[in-house]
Amino acid sequence: MTESTNESMNTTEAPQETPIPAPRPKPQVAAPVPEVDDAAAAAAAKWGRVDDEGNVWLRSSGNDAERIVGQYTIDGSDKDALGLYVRRYLDLENEVSLLEARLANISPEEISASIKALTEQLREPAVVGDVEALRKRVESLEGAAEERRAQVKAEREEAKKASVAERTAIVEAAEAVAAQDPANTHWKNSRAELTNLLEQWKYAQRHSPRIDRTTEEELWKRFSSARTTFDRHRRQFFSQRDSERKEITARKEALIARAEAIADSTDWGPTSGQFRELMNEWKRAGRMNKREDDALWERFSAAQNRFYEARNAYNAEIDEEFAANRDRKLELLAEAEKLLPVTDIDYAKAQIRAIGERWDAIGRVPRADMQRTEGRMRDIETQIRDAESEQWKNSDPEKDERSAGMAEQLQHLIDELETQIAQAREAGDEKKVKEYEDALAARKAWLSAVQGD
């Protein structure tokens, strides 16, 4: 139990701890002596000797020169004396062999450092063995090391090219994003794409092979320029869109004001035309974001609806008032239908004239019934006139030739006026109805005169 724990226990005394005996030290085990190849050791031992004074000599290859590499106690045997220095030689030989084996897998810098270290060790080594042979093996590694340097250099150049290509692809992708048409750019997705490309650049900078500073600066300048261009286009796009939104809003606010100004008008025909023109202007005014556009449309539509609902209520009241006229005109139509097919021209003309006088005296009918009343009556009148014309052609060709041109012109004018009267009534323009009816009466009088009625 720790001292801090004892202090926190106010009323209870800490129990007496039982001392733990210290662990017994483990016996030291001598490091294993590496096994020595007897044949290799015997071959190396041939290059040395031990004199009577315990000096260990190394013989050089190719000559009889010798040098002392160490001493050994006289109590030991010559074999023991040589064995120590032979093992040292074999250790050096193992280092050379290991470097030869690793040559293709280590860096040129490590190769050079290893060769330099071995060369230094072999300068005056305190060993017994064929030192000259080791020196030649180490010297021969220089050629292999140079090949390795060239290989590594080529590999590094290829890796550098790949790294440049990788960075270039990132830059070109960023430039492609920046080169998009602002009108068709999905800004949120494009901005996320640029952010992802920036992360790719940072990752390549940390983990890909390094490229020369000039190339990296040029590529980064292009990448940074693409991001700047994208941001500028984005700002310009939203600034322009905001300006357009304000212009569209101003135009639609003006249209709403005009619509609200005439929403309570009871001049049904002209006001209906004004609302149609306002609607055309609204369509040409442009669109902005849906929420704001819908809010403006709701106000404009409310003004329209107020007018049209009042007009519809008025027309419904008028139509109800004219319902009795419709029923009376339908009775006259049934009477006029009996004149068809025309067999007695004079009788039919006299009857349709009398029916027409009563028809005009009745007055207007509901708009929904105009076609089946006014339209049908015109059809009957037309059939009677056609029958009369056909009779004239058969009985008096010369008279027909004299009056046909003027009669046709007058009839064309009458048909046009009847159509205009129906349209003016539908629009609720009573002033135009009166004007067209006066003109129609005059044309009908002229036509009767031409036809000899």
Side-chain angles (χ1 to χ4, degrees), residues 72-133:
Y72 199 75
T73 59
I74 299 177
D75 295 338
S77 65
D78 292 350
K79 182 177 180 182
D80 292 336
L82 287 176
L84 173 63
Y85 293 94
V86 164
R87 281 196 298 274
R88 291 179 180 175
Y89 170 81
L90 294 178
D91 289 341
L92 273 177
E93 187 180 38
N94 286 335
E95 289 186 40
V96 174
S97 298
L98 180 60
L99 179 58
E100 290 171 337
R102 298 177 60 222
L103 198 65
N105 301 310
I106 59 177
S107 66
E109 293 77 13
E110 189 175 352
I111 294 173
S112 297
S114 298
I115 290 176
K116 182 178 179 181
L118 286 172
T119 301
E120 189 63 29
Q121 292 180 63
L122 289 171
R123 188 179 305 279
E124 293 292 335
V127 299
V128 171
D130 193 351
V131 175
E132 290 298 327

Side-chain angles (χ1 to χ4, degrees), residues 236-440:
Q236 291 173 347
F237 174 83
F238 284 102
S239 175
Q240 180 179 354
R241 193 171 75 168
D242 187 57
S243 176
E244 291 174 353
R245 181 186 63 80
K246 291 178 180 178
E247 291 177 3
I248 293 171
T249 300
R251 287 196 292 267
K252 291 192 172 183
E253 287 284 1
L255 292 174
I256 291 170
R258 288 166 58 189
E260 290 175 340
I262 62 174
D264 297 320
S265 171
T266 56
D267 194 2
W268 310 116
T271 307
S272 296
Q274 291 177 43
F275 266 111
R276 283 193 293 272
E277 180 56 31
L278 286 174
M279 188 64 199
N280 291 333
E281 291 184 44
W282 184 276
K283 292 177 181 178
R284 295 192 297 267
R287 291 186 62 83
M288 45 192 179
N289 73 72
K290 187 176 185 334
R291 182 176 60 82
E292 294 180 347
D293 208 48
D294 287 349
L296 291 173
W297 168 251
E298 187 175 343
R299 291 168 56 198
F300 180 80
S301 181
Q304 278 193 123
N305 293 340
R306 191 161 81 240
F307 168 77
Y308 284 117
E309 286 171 2
R311 191 192 71 171
N312 292 340
Y314 171 81
N315 288 333
E317 184 179 347
I318 296 298
D319 288 346
E320 184 177 355
E321 179 183 339
F322 293 155
N325 294 350
R326 175 198 62 207
D327 296 339
R328 293 167 61 192
K329 284 193 173 184
L330 288 176
E331 292 175 359
L332 289 179
L333 270 178
E335 186 177 336
E337 291 280 1
K338 295 177 181 179
L339 300 175
L340 301 178
V342 179
T343 55
D344 186 337
I345 300 295
D346 293 334
Y347 174 78
K349 287 173 61 180
Q351 291 297 311
I352 201 66
R353 188 179 297 113
I355 292 172
E357 290 173 357
R358 287 183 287 163
W359 185 279
D360 292 338
I362 292 173
R364 290 180 59 184
V365 299
R367 290 185 305 159
D369 299 310
M370 289 185 66
Q371 183 58 39
R372 65 172 178 153
T373 54
E374 305 291 342
R376 181 54 184 151
M377 180 58 75
R378 286 197 298 270
D379 290 342
I380 295 173
E381 291 172 344
T382 299
Q383 291 185 51
I384 293 173
R385 285 195 300 269
D386 290 345
E388 183 182 23
S389 298
E390 186 65 26
Q391 186 184 57
W392 285 349
K393 287 180 182 179
N394 295 332
S395 61
D396 190 3
E398 292 181 0
K399 182 180 179 181
D400 181 69
E401 289 177 2
R402 289 193 301 271
S403 60
M406 183 174 289
E408 288 179 1
Q409 292 179 15
L410 289 170
Q411 186 59 54
H412 180 68
L413 290 172
I414 289 169
D415 292 340
E416 285 186 347
L417 285 168
E418 289 174 342
T419 300
Q420 290 171 337
I421 290 170
Q423 292 175 346
R425 281 178 178 164
E426 183 177 0
D429 193 342
E430 297 300 327
K431 183 179 178 180
K432 286 288 185 182
V433 171
K434 182 66 172 61
E435 179 184 336
Y436 292 148
E437 285 179 342
D438 291 345
L440 177 64

Side-chain angles (χ1 to χ4, degrees), residues 212-262:
D212 64 89
R213 186 175 184 81
T214 301
T215 301
E216 185 174 37
E217 287 179 350
E218 289 175 355
L219 289 173
W220 173 249
K221 185 177 180 181
R222 288 172 58 188
F223 186 84
S224 181
S225 176
R227 295 173 67 202
T228 301
T229 300
F230 174 83
D231 289 337
R232 184 177 69 253
H233 287 172
R234 183 177 179 275
R235 287 193 300 271
Q236 291 173 347
F237 174 83
F238 284 102
S239 175
Q240 180 179 354
R241 193 171 75 168
D242 187 57
S243 176
E244 291 174 353
R245 181 186 63 80
K246 291 178 180 178
E247 291 177 3
I248 293 171
T249 300
R251 287 196 292 267
K252 291 192 172 183
E253 287 284 1
L255 292 174
I256 291 170
R258 288 166 58 189
E260 290 175 340
I262 62 174

